[in-house]
Amino acid sequence: MSTAEYPPDEQPIVLASGSPRRRELLACLIPSFEVLSSAAEEEAHERLPDWAPEPLDLPRPFAVPTESEPRLWAWRKAVDVMQQHQERLAVGTLIVGADTIVVARGKVLGKPATLQDARDMLYLLRDREHYVVTGFVLLRVAREGATTAHQEAVTARVVMRAFDDREVEDYLATGESMDKAGAYALQGLGGRLVERVDGCRTTVIGLPVCRVRAVLSLAGVSLLTYPAEGYCSFCLHRPTFAK
């Protein structure tokens, strides 16, 4: 089977992530896709792509080390899924991989390992700015492996409130912070700790839908109708993507 056998709007699409948030966001863009989780992060894959990402456009105190580069990990997740399931993935299948990091001054924050770890992260972020970067890639399955059709990183600046200790403890008690990078969920109760977001909120949640929409459109994918209310206020006022 060759890619040409698929009309562009019928190319199978796979989301290489078990994140419910990414699943919900991608469902805003396309009517159907398959979800296949990757164990690339847990297995500490070290494979490298044949492309080198441009440096992230962040202030110097927020520099991201190569080993934490979100585009690299998005690619690793997508490739991991392709390799796990290559016998059944048809040529021409598009795989969407994504990875999100929270960048505090001088430190990249992952998911907290313990309650104290989550507490330390929230105190580190309190009353300060930080950046959230989501890298995403689009792989196209070929007869021999896959090719990278697109790779990109999207950044949002987040400013946290000067919340008090009681608010931290109350939030930690909900358990929401324990599987979230930076120990908070913007779309959940953690949103109460945020003063403002400069940039697209969906980038912070885990998938920058406007940019992903534009890339899928260029790939010939049939898209759901763009909502009149946009995906967030930032998206609505920056219509720089295909509708």
Side-chain angles (χ1 to χ4, degrees):
M1 182 179 294
S2 67
T3 306
E5 292 180 63
Y6 281 110
D9 60 354
E10 294 181 11
Q11 298 170 98
I13 298 176
V14 171
L15 174 63
S17 173
S19 165
R21 295 161 294 282
R22 291 198 180 106
R23 188 181 311 163
E24 292 169 2
L25 290 171
L26 188 57
C28 295
L29 303 179
I30 54 179
S32 64
F33 55 92
E34 184 175 5
V35 175
L36 296 173
S37 298
S38 166
E41 288 179 304
E42 290 77 8
E43 297 175 0
H45 281 292
E46 296 182 356
R47 62 172 64 98
L48 297 172
D50 59 1
W51 46 266
E54 294 293 324
L56 295 171
D57 185 17
L58 295 173
R60 184 170 297 178
F62 298 90
V64 174
T66 302
E67 61 269 21
S68 299
E69 163 62 57
R71 286 164 292 189
L72 173 61
W73 282 102
W75 177 85
R76 284 173 171 167
K77 292 176 184 179
V79 169
D80 181 56
V81 163
M82 184 274 296
Q83 292 185 337
Q84 286 187 61
H85 304 279
Q86 57 187 340
E87 291 187 0
R88 70 178 187 83
L89 292 178
V91 171
T93 297
L94 297 173
I95 304 177
V96 180
D99 186 70
T100 301
I101 59 173
V102 174
V103 190
R105 187 175 294 266
K107 188 174 185 180
V108 175
L109 304 180
K111 296 178 182 178
T114 65
L115 187 64
Q116 185 58 48
D117 195 19
R119 182 178 289 109
D120 292 343
M121 289 184 186
L122 292 174
Y123 284 137
L124 177 64
L125 297 175
R126 180 169 61 180
D127 198 25
R128 294 186 177 95
E129 68 172 355
H130 65 272
Y131 292 84
V132 180
V133 186
T134 293
F136 73 93
V137 302
L138 187 65
L139 292 190
R140 189 184 300 276
V141 175
R143 289 193 177 278
E144 301 295 333
T147 59
T148 303
H150 186 83
Q151 54 88 10
E152 183 175 339
V154 184
T155 300
R157 176 176 175 266
V158 181
V159 179
M160 301 299 268
R161 290 177 41 242
F163 43 78
D164 59 36
D165 294 358
R166 182 70 264 165
E167 290 178 278
V168 172
E169 296 307 320
D170 287 347
Y171 181 56
L172 291 173
T174 69
E176 184 181 81
S177 62
M178 293 309 296
D179 67 338
K180 307 295 188 300
Y184 75 94
L186 176 66
Q187 74 280 10
L189 297 173
R192 300 174 184 175
L193 306 178
V194 176
E195 180 176 310
R196 72 175 186 273
V197 176
D198 297 331
C200 180
R201 291 175 64 89
T202 63
T203 296
V204 182
I205 297 171
L207 194 70
V209 290
C210 288
R211 289 302 309 146
V212 173
R213 182 183 182 94
V215 171
L216 291 176
S217 178
L218 290 174
V221 175
S222 180
L223 300 167
L224 295 172
T225 302
Y226 179 74
E229 67 276 13
Y231 299 113
C232 75
S233 58
F234 179 82
C235 301
L236 188 60
H237 292 98
R238 292 174 63 88
T240 58
F241 44 85
K243 293 188 178 183

